Amino acid sequence: MNSSNSSIFINKDYNPIIVSVILRRYWWWVLALVTFFMSIAFFYLRYTKPVYDSAMIIQLAEKDQGKELLEIDNINKSDDISTEIELLRSQLLFEMAISKMNMNVSIFAEGKILTEEKYHQSTFTVLPYALRDSSLCDIPVWVETMDHHKIKLTYTLNNQTYSKVSGVNEIIRTKHFDVAFKVENWEILKQDDNNNRLYFTFNNQKSLASRLIANLQVNPVDVNAKTIELRYNGNNPELCKDIIQSVSTTFFHYDEEMKRKSADNILAFIQLQLDSISGELKDSKDSLTDFQRKTHLTDPENTTGSLTENMDKFQDLLFELENESATLKMVNLKLKSEPNRLDIYRLIPEMLGKSFELSLTKQITDLNTLLERKEELLTNVTENNSELKTLNSRIQSKIQAIRRSVEVIQERIRAQINVINGKIGVIEGEYLKMPQKKMEYNRLKSMQDLNEKYYTILTEKKVMYSISNAGYTSSNRVLNEASLNLVPVSPNRKLVYAGFVFVGFIFGFAFLFFKYITFNEINSVEDLKQLLPDKITILGNIPQLKESSEFSQLMIHNNPKSILAESMRNIRTNLSFVNSNARIIAISSSISGEGKTFVALNLAGIIALSGKKTIVIDLDLRKPKVHLGLNVPNEKGISNLIIKQATLDECIRHSEIENLDFISAGPIPPNPSELILSDSFFEILDSLKSRYDVVIIDNPPVGLVTDGVQILAKADVPIYIFKAHYSKRIFAGRVRELFDMNQITHLNIILNGTKASKGKYGYGYGYGYGYYEEEDKKKKKK
């Protein structure tokens, strides 16, 4: 067969017959895969550490009675729980919580596969008294039981091994540490030592906290209600519970302590400021009293107030006049011989609110209008234009007029400034004439007022914060206590088993599906009708024998009423419809083992029993089988006839059935193809047609060699054999090739080896590959 037929066959359509075959053959694969994955699940659960968890829900609550009295928020109050959540997650708080659990020593039991930490579950207890070398932290100290209630401690430090033998329930002193080794039941400890390797380690609190904090989860439950969930996962349920409880307790204490310290610090600062201001206030009062007693000055404030008020008024007037003078200077600066229109336009807002607004604004506006007209003319005329010259003259006149007005206004403003400066000088003189004692009085009075003001403010703040702090209480509480959960959350045994069983079914059904789409066997006549061209004729099917034999046998005459005989008669009848005058019938197949020799012998037998003289020719010169089926030696045969080493009469042999003769293959030649296709063979065939009514040729398999195709093409009735549950579906491709390449024009099909529901006989003999074995293997490898 060619390489195209050797590729993997893919079934694209649903076929219930193939489904039933696949289920009957491979149903146990599903069971085996499910069992296999259940075994994996068992070992996974057996050697996976269980994970337990413990959870607690806390609520952050605050009560502020001070707010109800004073209507102020407490200094410690916080509405955002994110700060508390971050504190609960912090390494600082976790280290504090671990330190309170007294986890200075951890005890372990090392099994063949798993190592388990014996937290509160150990058969012995280690109480550390002294650790003289901190480098021993996290290094295992192995515990070994000995006779007479003795134990041996062994550890390796800096590549040197140390050991110590001591009794139980006493202090063990070594070079690096002192511990008390407590045992309640010696026999249980000894049994535990036999089952596991026991050891303990000294814990470094920071590294222990760093290792354990990874399993802590802190999540808000309800932000408005300020509820927080604490959850911890680990391999020991008691450890999970204790860590959660220690974290919550440490948080409550730490939070309350920090808030109390904050309030105390604020109140202490206020008190310190009060003490300082109190002394200064007393000094200022004493100074003022002494000054009044010496100077007999009661209240100089009224005099000083009027002078100050007048001074402020004149200062404001002086500022306004100086501002107007600066504006006039800017106007003079902008009024050049060739003024910029944009600069002149910007002077208009500067006039607003000034005393000279009415006199100058109109003139500057007119000048701006003239400049705009000049710009318009310059876009259309030259400098020599008469209108432009007139306009320039008007602009210069307007500028001169504005300058004269500015000079007049400046003279007036300078006069006013001189007057105001004179009045200010008079007031300053009055200030200088004021007695020194009045100024000193004002200074002392001001210091006293200032100190009294600060003292009053701080006193009020102290009272409010004291009341607020006294009325504020932190009522954080636990809403859901941490429980000891002895049921592991992971792995979930039911879920793991269900998952692996599901995967087993998936793989099992995937295997069945793969077998279905790659199913490459022919099982029924219906399969052949779907796979072969429409011009193919189905002659019938032959049932499978329940009794098998080594070689194809002629057995049609032994039980003429068997299902085998009936099927052969049915094929003989169908042959008469195909070609009633058929003289040469060539029978072939794709590969050896499909039963072409069996069909040739028994079809010849059933035809001979009908009264026709029939002869069978074994043309399968590579793997002859006809003589084996008739139990005769293969001394002379068709190979001798073709090369004319024997006569026709010498090679024709008679069988047990009347009218049935046969010619065996004879010695196997080195060149079977040349002999089969030689003219001598066709001459022999013509001679046999003159002697017999029907000549049946046992042709070579055309799936492996092609020398039998020509014989099929020249036969009156070419028959192609398929075997149920043996022939591959891709073999039908070989038949299609024969038609597509016009090597044959008609072909008849017999399906051999079908399973019969009743009856005893059929076809089930064994058939070897022989000569074709290597050829068939090569094709399959392709």
Side-chain angles (χ1 to χ4, degrees), residues 343-599:
D343 290 341
I344 298 301
Y345 178 76
R346 288 175 179 173
L347 290 176
I348 297 175
E350 297 292 336
M351 303 295 108
L352 298 177
K354 303 295 189 298
S355 60
F356 47 81
E357 176 182 358
L358 296 177
S359 59
L360 285 183
T361 302
K362 179 64 171 59
Q363 297 184 64
I364 293 175
T365 303
D366 293 342
L367 177 60
N368 181 66
T369 303
L370 294 174
L371 292 174
E372 286 181 348
R373 178 58 183 164
K374 180 181 178 180
E375 289 179 356
E376 292 176 359
L377 287 175
L378 287 174
T379 58
N380 299 317
V381 301
T382 63
E383 294 287 343
N384 298 323
N385 183 267
S386 59
E387 183 180 357
L388 182 60
K389 291 180 178 180
T390 303
L391 186 60
N392 285 332
S393 176
R394 291 178 61 190
I395 289 172
Q396 294 299 323
S397 298
K398 180 61 67 177
I399 290 173
Q400 294 298 326
I402 293 173
R403 285 179 175 174
R404 287 193 296 271
S405 298
V406 168
E407 290 177 359
V408 172
I409 295 172
Q410 282 180 330
E411 285 294 332
R412 176 175 59 81
I413 290 175
R414 281 195 291 270
Q416 291 177 347
I417 289 174
N418 292 332
V419 172
I420 290 174
N421 284 331
K423 292 181 177 181
I424 290 175
V426 172
I427 293 174
E428 289 178 349
E430 292 179 359
Y431 262 117
L432 294 175
K433 294 177 183 178
M434 187 177 180
Q436 186 69 27
K437 57 183 179 181
K438 292 183 179 180
M439 297 179 64
E440 182 65 16
Y441 175 85
N442 290 334
R443 184 183 69 80
L444 294 175
K445 183 63 176 175
S446 176
M447 291 180 61
Q448 177 184 336
D449 293 340
L450 183 62
N451 289 332
E452 285 181 347
K453 178 181 178 182
Y454 283 140
Y455 187 83
T456 302
I457 291 174
L458 289 174
T459 302
E460 291 176 354
K461 292 294 183 182
K462 179 182 178 182
V463 172
M464 287 190 296
Y465 284 138
S466 297
I467 296 175
S468 177
N469 192 42
Y472 175 83
T473 57
S474 176
S475 55
N476 297 336
R477 54 183 175 267
V478 176
L479 300 183
N480 185 11
E481 288 284 355
S483 59
L484 183 62
N485 189 4
L486 299 178
V487 178
V489 295
S490 173
N492 189 322
R493 299 183 67 86
K494 293 182 179 180
L495 184 62
V496 169
Y497 274 118
F500 275 92
V501 168
F502 177 74
V503 172
F505 274 111
I506 291 296
F507 274 86
F509 285 113
F511 175 78
L512 295 181
F513 178 74
F514 175 77
K515 284 294 184 181
Y516 174 81
I517 63 174
T518 59
F519 187 78
N520 196 19
E521 293 182 6
I522 295 173
N523 297 295
S524 63
V525 174
E526 287 73 15
D527 286 345
L528 288 174
K529 290 180 179 179
Q530 294 178 0
L531 298 172
L532 296 175
D534 295 335
K535 61 184 72 176
I536 294 295
T537 302
I538 306 294
L539 293 178
N541 62 290
I542 300 173
Q544 182 181 7
L545 276 178
K546 293 183 179 180
E547 298 175 357
S548 62
S549 58
E550 184 178 0
F551 303 108
S552 302
Q553 299 291 322
L554 175 62
M555 54 179 62
I556 197 70
H557 59 293
N558 294 331
N559 194 343
K561 295 184 179 180
S562 65
I563 296 179
L564 174 63
E566 289 298 327
S567 63
M568 287 297 178
R569 292 190 188 96
N570 182 57
I571 293 173
R572 182 185 66 188
T573 302
N574 291 337
L575 283 173
S576 64
F577 287 108
V578 173
N579 190 345
S580 59
N581 298 319
R583 302 291 305 280
I584 299 177
I585 299 175
I587 300 176
S588 186
S589 64
S590 298
I591 61 173
S592 298
E594 293 180 294
K596 63 181 180 59
T597 302
F598 175 81
V599 174

Side-chain angles (χ1 to χ4, degrees), residues 112-300:
K112 294 181 179 179
I113 296 179
L114 300 178
T115 299
E116 180 181 3
E117 183 175 359
K118 295 290 188 177
Y119 178 80
H120 290 177
Q121 299 172 350
S122 177
T123 53
F124 63 92
T125 304
V126 177
L127 302 178
Y129 285 140
L131 180 62
R132 285 180 282 275
D133 191 344
S134 60
S135 61
L136 191 62
C137 289
D138 301 325
I139 293 179
V141 179
W142 300 96
V143 178
E144 181 182 356
T145 58
M146 305 181 71
D147 296 334
H148 308 296
H149 288 200
K150 296 288 186 179
I151 60 166
K152 180 180 180 181
L153 303 183
T154 306
Y155 58 95
T156 301
L157 182 63
N158 298 327
N159 297 324
Q160 185 175 354
T161 302
Y162 301 90
S163 62
K164 178 72 173 181
V165 177
S166 179
V168 298
N169 298 324
E170 62 183 44
I171 296 179
I172 303 175
R173 303 182 185 277
T174 69
K175 179 181 178 181
H176 303 98
F177 60 83
D178 296 341
V179 296
F181 197 91
K182 303 291 185 179
V183 177
E184 294 184 0
N185 191 315
W186 174 260
E187 296 300 328
I188 296 178
L189 173 61
K190 195 169 184 179
Q191 183 179 357
D192 192 13
D193 183 38
N194 293 332
N195 296 332
N196 305 282
R197 295 185 66 195
L198 306 177
Y199 69 94
F200 65 89
T201 61
F202 294 97
N203 291 323
N204 181 290
Q205 293 299 314
K206 285 189 174 294
S207 61
L208 178 64
S210 299
R211 175 170 61 89
L212 295 177
I213 196 174
N215 297 330
L216 176 66
Q217 300 176 24
V218 181
N219 298 304
V221 178
D222 190 334
V223 176
N224 295 325
K226 293 187 178 181
T227 52
I228 302 173
E229 181 191 50
L230 306 179
R231 184 177 294 274
Y232 192 84
N233 298 328
N235 302 120
N236 189 296
E238 291 189 14
L239 179 61
C240 295
K241 176 186 175 183
D242 290 349
I243 288 179
I244 286 295
Q245 288 181 336
S246 181
V247 169
S248 62
T249 304
T250 304
F251 167 73
F252 289 154
H253 292 166
Y254 182 80
D255 183 61
E256 184 176 353
E257 182 182 357
M258 289 298 102
K259 289 180 178 178
R260 186 178 65 252
K261 285 184 177 180
S262 176
D264 292 343
N265 290 337
I266 292 177
L267 291 174
F269 174 76
I270 293 176
Q271 184 61 47
L272 180 63
Q273 296 298 314
L274 279 173
D275 294 340
S276 176
I277 295 297
S278 177
E280 293 181 6
L281 178 60
K282 183 178 181 301
D283 293 340
S284 62
K285 286 182 178 181
D286 293 342
S287 298
L288 181 61
T289 302
D290 293 340
F291 179 76
Q292 287 179 323
R293 186 182 300 114
K294 292 178 181 178
T295 59
H296 304 284
L297 184 64
T298 57
D299 186 11

